[in-house]
């Protein structure tokens, strides 16, 4: 069995792709080109594909006519393996999905119908896909205002720059790559690299991710990139893959309006865009965190209503509003009528379901979800829980503090961990031992016991670790791809994203219910604090203005004092002169009087 290469985070630097022109490829690629009108540009795109260095026998081109009037046609100058299919439903997402459905390649290469590829571009992409099966590769676009040449000129060109330069770079993409060290330093935004103009994706990865979201008006590429990230993808910018976009994009013409429309929709689907989710109580289509509450361990496997309620209520009252709770249990065995409810052996189950039946943030599932899949709801709604980035498995009866979940998520996100195991307690090993147990261990001791199994953990001598587990979906999906036969999934997660143990009490987890203040109280306190900060800021500005005024007045006073000192000095001189005059006049009078007496 061939070992699949393991990439930590988004550090594709550990991969060594073959040199262009010096290797033998084997994977097939399907280039999907959705098109609406623009026959002249499409002819140039196909001319560029006709001259690719990647083997034609391993390449198929699927042009999707998305309801053009008149209908598009295939020109004479095109690759041999080119097909034209129709998709009458308007919208690029529908056209992309139609092309994806028809594709047969190992790799899907998205290509817009106004993007002309350099002749080495497809090969530059495909050399990466031969070294790892979970990559998303994006080439570098340049936007050209040049007049459209003849298709034969494009097909014969060894360097498209001679035809289409001067051109503008894809400034946003270049900036993202440069300020993140090629997406390695900050992998959280790497999925933004998935742009439809010239991006290739492993077909098996796309099968796990699902088709493009046709419910979006704009931002479909980014949303699919986010789901690819949750499926374990690594995103690679490839500067050797160059392409020219014929004219400016819609975003370049009116970025503000495009962002306004895009953000209105992607906020509901991409939890990673935290700045778009500032509302303190809103519920979103894709939550940031799913908390799977597993039943309290009671003798005989019973389900404790009081324990479950303590945990669920605390989760919903925390400072993280972007959360849903999944309750696992045999909900399908509950009937609709009970003549003697107090004698019902499933009474606690009935109470749990009844208490949360109309809480939209609480879902019921027949079983715990796998680490790489969301929990299926019961009864089936046809609406899954797609691409939730984090899942916390928490035993019922353990109560997080108001800020516990937010703190755990900060640790996982900031340091990129794939699994944060929370040591809650060490329980005595006995049949049906309760989830509540005396907390005697610490994170360091727990670390020596290895990965946890479920929320109860592994036996350690005659003790059993009671843990909660915060799992990153992308990490477990990646681990499932690279997992070796017989290997524990947690070990693969540690290799690719890292595992951390923390002490539950330090993070505010306690085995007892606490009064629920509710996030409205937290929001009110936060709002009042923000208002107080605003008031103090305003007062500080006022005082700074007053100080400036006083400084100006002090300067005026200093100038006045200088002038007064000058005036006083002048008066003193005049007084001295007057004294001299008086003294001289007095002396003269005395002399005259003495003279007369003589």
């Amino acid at each position: 069995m061939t070992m699949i290469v393991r990439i930590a985070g988004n550090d594709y630097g550990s991969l060594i792709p073959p040199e262009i022109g010096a290797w033998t490829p084997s994977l097939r690629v399907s280039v999907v080109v959705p098109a609406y009108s623009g026959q002249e540009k499409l002819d140039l795109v196909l001319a560029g594909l006709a001259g690719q260095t990647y083997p034609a026998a391993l390449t198929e081109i699927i042009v999707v006519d998305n309801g053009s009037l008149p209908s598009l046609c295939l020109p004479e100058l095109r690759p041999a393996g080119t097909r034209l299919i129709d998709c009458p439903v308007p919208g690029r997402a529908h056209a992309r999905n139609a092309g994806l459905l028809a594709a047969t390649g190992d790799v899907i290469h998205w290509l817009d119908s106004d993007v002309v590829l350099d002749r080495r571009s497809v090969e530059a992409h495909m050399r990466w896909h031969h070294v790892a099966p979970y990559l998303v590769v994006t080439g570098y676009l340049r936007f050209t205002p040049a007049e459209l040449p003849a298709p034969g000129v494009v097909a014969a060109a060894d360097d498209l720059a001679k035809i289409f330069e001067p051109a503008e770079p894809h400034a946003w993409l270049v900036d993202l790559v440069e300020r993140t060290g090629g997406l390695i330093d900050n992998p959280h935004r790497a999925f933004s690299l998935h742009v439809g103009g010239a991006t290739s994706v492993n077909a098996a990865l796309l099968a796990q991710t699902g088709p493009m979201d046709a419910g979006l008006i704009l931002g479909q590429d980014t949303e699919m990139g986010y789901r690819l990230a949750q499926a374990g993808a690594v995103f690679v910018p490839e500067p050797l893959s160059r392409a020219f976009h014929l004219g400016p994009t819609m975003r370049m013409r009116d970025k503000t309006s495009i962002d306004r429309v895009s953000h209105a929709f992607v906020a509901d689907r991409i939890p990673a865009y935290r700045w778009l989710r500032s509302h303190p109580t809103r519920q979103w289509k894709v939550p940031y965190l799913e908390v799977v509450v597993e039943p309290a361990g009671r003798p005989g496997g019973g389900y404790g209503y009081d324990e479950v309620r303590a945990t669920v209520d605390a989760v919903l009252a925390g400072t993280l509003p972007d959360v849903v709770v999944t309750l696992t249990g045999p909900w399908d065995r509950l009937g609709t009528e009970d003549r003697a409810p107090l004698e019902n052996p499933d009474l606690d189950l009935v109470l749990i379901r009844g208490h949360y039946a109309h809480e939209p943030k609480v879902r019921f599932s027949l079983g715990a979800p796998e680490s790489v899949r969301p929990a299926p709801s019961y009864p089936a709604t046809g609406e899954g829980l797609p691409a939730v980035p984090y899942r916390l498995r928490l035993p019922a009866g353990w109560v997080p503090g108001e800020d516990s979940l937010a703190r755990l998520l900060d640790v996982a996100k900031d340091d990129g961990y794939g699994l944060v195991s929370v040591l809650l307690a060490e329980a005595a090993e006995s049949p049906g031992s309760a989830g509540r147990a005396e907390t005697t261990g610490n994170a360091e001791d727990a670390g020596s016991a290895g990965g946890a199994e479920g929320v109860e953990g592994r036996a350690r001598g005659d003790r059993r670790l009671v843990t909660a587990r915060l799992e990153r979906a992308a990490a477990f999906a990646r681990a499932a791809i690279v997992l070796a036969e017989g290997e524990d999934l947690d070990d693969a997660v540690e290799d690719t994203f890292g595992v951390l143990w923390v002490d539950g009490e330090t993070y505010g987890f306690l085995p007892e219910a606490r009064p629920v203040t509710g996030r409205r109280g937290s929001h009110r306190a936060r709002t009042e604090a923000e208002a107080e900060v605003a008031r103090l800021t305003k007062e500080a500005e006022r005082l700074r203005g007053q100080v400036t005024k006083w400084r100006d007045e002090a300067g005026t006073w200093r100038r006045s004092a200088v002038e007064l000192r000058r005036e006083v000095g002048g008066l003193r001189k005049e007084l001295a002169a007057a004294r001299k005059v008086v003294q001289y006049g007095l002396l003269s009078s005395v002399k005259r009087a003495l003279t007369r007496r003589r």
Side-chain angles (χ1 to χ4, degrees), residues 520-533:
R520 285 189 176 85
S522 302
H523 176 59
R524 183 166 55 251
R526 189 163 53 249
T527 301
E528 290 172 355
E530 290 171 353
E532 180 66 9
V533 168

Side-chain angles (χ1 to χ4, degrees), residues 459-543:
R460 180 180 169 201
D462 60 348
R463 312 287 288 177
R464 179 172 289 277
L465 299 181
V466 180
T467 67
R469 291 163 57 90
L470 178 64
E471 302 169 350
R472 181 193 293 263
F476 278 83
R478 177 89 56 81
I481 294 172
V482 303
L483 191 67
E485 185 176 356
E487 182 182 17
D488 187 89
L489 190 62
D490 285 5
D491 293 337
V493 170
E494 185 162 17
D495 279 352
T496 52
F497 282 81
V499 174
L500 176 71
W501 279 87
V502 299
D503 176 63
E505 188 173 355
T506 301
Y507 278 80
F509 288 87
L510 296 176
E512 57 189 14
R514 287 175 283 196
V516 174
T517 58
R519 56 177 182 270
R520 285 189 176 85
S522 302
H523 176 59
R524 183 166 55 251
R526 189 163 53 249
T527 301
E528 290 172 355
E530 290 171 353
E532 180 66 9
V533 168
R535 187 189 68 80
L536 292 175
T537 301
K538 186 176 180 180
E539 178 66 12
E541 289 294 332
R542 187 188 69 79
L543 292 175

Side-chain angles (χ1 to χ4, degrees), residues 188-204:
H188 305 300
R189 287 293 305 279
F191 67 85
S192 300
L193 191 75
H194 182 265
V195 294
T199 296
S200 60
V201 186
N202 182 279

Side-chain angles (χ1 to χ4, degrees), residues 46 53 58 70-71 124 151 193 201 205 214 269 375 478 514 575:
L46 294 176
T53 59
L58 296 175
S71 297
L193 191 75
V201 186
L205 197 65
R269 293 162 169 84
R478 177 89 56 81
R514 287 175 283 196
L575 180 61

Side-chain angles (χ1 to χ4, degrees), residues 71-355:
S71 297
L72 297 173
C73 61
L74 295 180
E76 291 185 7
L77 183 51
R78 65 179 189 270
T82 303
R83 288 185 285 155
L84 176 64
I85 65 175
D86 290 324
C87 176
V89 182
R92 188 174 63 163
H94 290 290
R96 287 259 187 95
N97 291 339
L100 178 61
L101 189 62
T104 62
D106 303 297
V107 174
I108 306 299
H109 191 307
W110 306 121
L111 184 64
D112 283 349
S113 60
D114 53 3
V115 173
V116 181
L117 296 181
D118 178 87
R119 63 193 308 268
R120 301 170 187 83
S121 184
V122 173
E123 182 183 356
H125 277 248
M126 293 301 295
R127 65 197 189 112
W128 287 99
H129 292 291
H130 280 74
V131 294
Y134 50 95
L135 302 184
V136 176
V137 183
T138 295
Y140 280 62
L141 290 175
R142 292 181 67 80
F143 300 88
T144 176
E147 293 187 7
L148 301 184
V153 174
V154 170
D158 184 64
D159 185 0
L160 292 180
K162 297 176 181 178
I163 304 173
F164 295 120
E165 291 289 357
E168 295 183 36
H170 194 168
W172 173 86
L173 187 149
V174 172
D175 176 67
L176 175 65
V177 172
E178 289 181 351
R179 60 188 165 86
T180 59
L183 304 179
I184 295 174
D185 298 339
N186 183 10
H188 305 300
R189 287 293 305 279
F191 67 85
S192 300
L193 191 75
H194 182 265
V195 294
T199 296
S200 60
V201 186
N202 182 279
L205 197 65
L206 271 177
Q208 293 291 318
T209 303
M212 186 160 285
D213 189 340
L216 285 169
I217 298 176
L218 296 171
Q220 301 100 328
D221 295 332
T222 304
E223 191 275 337
M224 175 171 270
Y226 167 75
R227 282 187 284 127
L228 285 166
Q230 304 317 304
V234 169
F235 296 82
V236 180
E238 175 49 274
L240 295 181
S241 170
R242 297 180 298 169
F244 286 89
H245 190 286
L246 304 177
T249 65
M250 185 166 53
R251 179 176 292 275
M252 292 175 69
R253 292 192 295 266
D254 194 354
K255 180 180 183 302
T256 301
S257 298
I258 295 298
D259 285 345
R260 178 173 178 266
V261 174
S262 177
H263 289 171
F265 286 85
V266 299
D268 214 20
R269 293 162 169 84
I270 305 181
Y273 287 169
R274 306 307 297 154
W275 68 91
L276 296 178
R277 295 190 173 189
S278 58
H279 196 283
T281 59
R282 258 216 61 180
Q283 186 173 358
W284 306 92
K285 178 178 181 179
V286 184
Y288 194 50
L289 174 68
E290 178 190 15
V291 178
V292 180
V293 178
E294 302 191 340
R298 288 183 162 190
Y303 291 76
Y305 164 68
D306 298 303
E307 293 89 345
V308 169
R309 181 176 175 181
T311 300
V312 174
D313 286 355
V315 168
L316 297 181
T319 56
L320 182 75
D322 199 357
V323 61
V324 295
V325 177
T326 295
L327 297 177
T328 63
W331 311 110
D332 56 341
R333 79 185 187 199
L334 300 183
T336 57
E337 181 181 359
D338 198 332
R339 297 186 185 279
L342 297 183
E343 298 178 9
N344 187 343
D346 290 327
L347 177 60
D348 278 33
L349 274 177
V350 172
L351 296 179
I352 293 169
R353 188 180 67 174
H355 191 71

